[in-house]
Amino acid sequence: MQAAQWFAEGRPNAWVAGELRVGLRQVEKWRQAWRAGGTEALRSKGPHGRPRLDDAQFAVVEAELNRGPAAHGYADDQRWTLGRVAGLINKLFAIDYTVPGVSLLLRRNGWSVQVPGRRAIERDEQAIAAWKREVWPQVEAPRRTWAPGSVSKTRPARGSGRPKDGPGAGVDTGRR
């Protein structure tokens, strides 16, 4: 819209291109559209090149999604993935959507990501808590006390290296 105002003021294309940081050819296209249709001709017409589903088409997709994946041949896994939804849209309307495009489409229409809980129906929380409290401490190895050690598996540590009866034996250095 700023370009339209400058066109009306008679500013040259090169100046407009420099101010708006766009190419000169783009400004020439804008000026040509402005001459043919005025300021309204420069209004955005939305994103181009992407086919979109209208409300009626999305209602059809939504009805098919509500039927479930099994109704569309996905009997092994009862989840809708973005890839499966893209395939469904392609099958219904011959419109290709990318996986991110399907995600945007669903979010715009009030759908959200649902991750199913992967828990067994037979899961007994009280039995699990009792096992952790009573059995696990017996299974778990006790923690080692501090001792000189080595990260080498081939030469484990054998103590400080001082002779037991040498100088400093039995003296507490205060370092721990």
Side-chain angles (χ1 to χ4, degrees), residues 4-166:
Q5 180 182 350
W6 287 334
F7 294 156
E9 293 173 5
R11 304 282 175 124
N13 289 350
W15 186 87
V16 173
E19 288 296 309
L20 296 177
R21 297 184 198 162
V22 296
L24 183 60
R25 302 292 174 250
Q26 185 62 48
V27 175
E28 289 171 359
K29 288 179 185 178
W30 289 345
R31 187 178 293 270
Q32 186 178 14
W34 176 73
R35 282 187 187 132
T39 304
E40 288 302 312
L42 295 179
R43 290 207 182 277
S44 173
K45 294 163 187 66
H48 56 81
R50 271 196 262 163
R52 300 225 181 242
L53 296 180
D54 60 20
D55 292 338
Q57 289 173 319
F58 187 78
V60 171
V61 171
E62 197 166 26
E64 293 299 317
L65 291 175
N66 287 330
R67 285 181 54 208
H72 297 280
Y74 302 110
D76 57 328
D77 185 9
Q78 291 297 300
R79 290 181 285 181
W80 280 114
T81 63
L82 295 174
R84 288 178 178 182
V85 175
L88 176 67
I89 293 171
N90 191 350
K91 186 172 83 175
L92 293 174
F93 304 108
I95 296 174
D96 288 326
Y97 267 89
T98 63
V99 170
V102 172
S103 178
L104 287 171
L105 174 72
L106 293 175
R107 276 190 282 143
R108 278 190 204 118
N109 287 285
W111 288 66
S112 64
V113 175
Q114 302 292 316
V115 179
R118 296 176 187 240
R119 300 223 166 161
I121 295 172
E122 303 85 11
R123 185 178 172 101
D124 184 359
E125 295 295 334
Q126 293 173 342
I128 292 170
W131 186 89
K132 285 181 182 177
R133 186 175 55 250
E134 297 165 9
V135 177
W136 179 244
Q138 297 169 3
V139 174
E140 183 179 35
R143 295 185 77 187
R144 298 175 126 195
T145 59
W146 183 88
S150 171
V151 294
S152 172
K153 292 180 180 177
T154 58
R155 292 191 55 183
R158 294 193 177 104
S160 66
R162 282 193 207 153
K164 302 262 188 235
D165 57 349

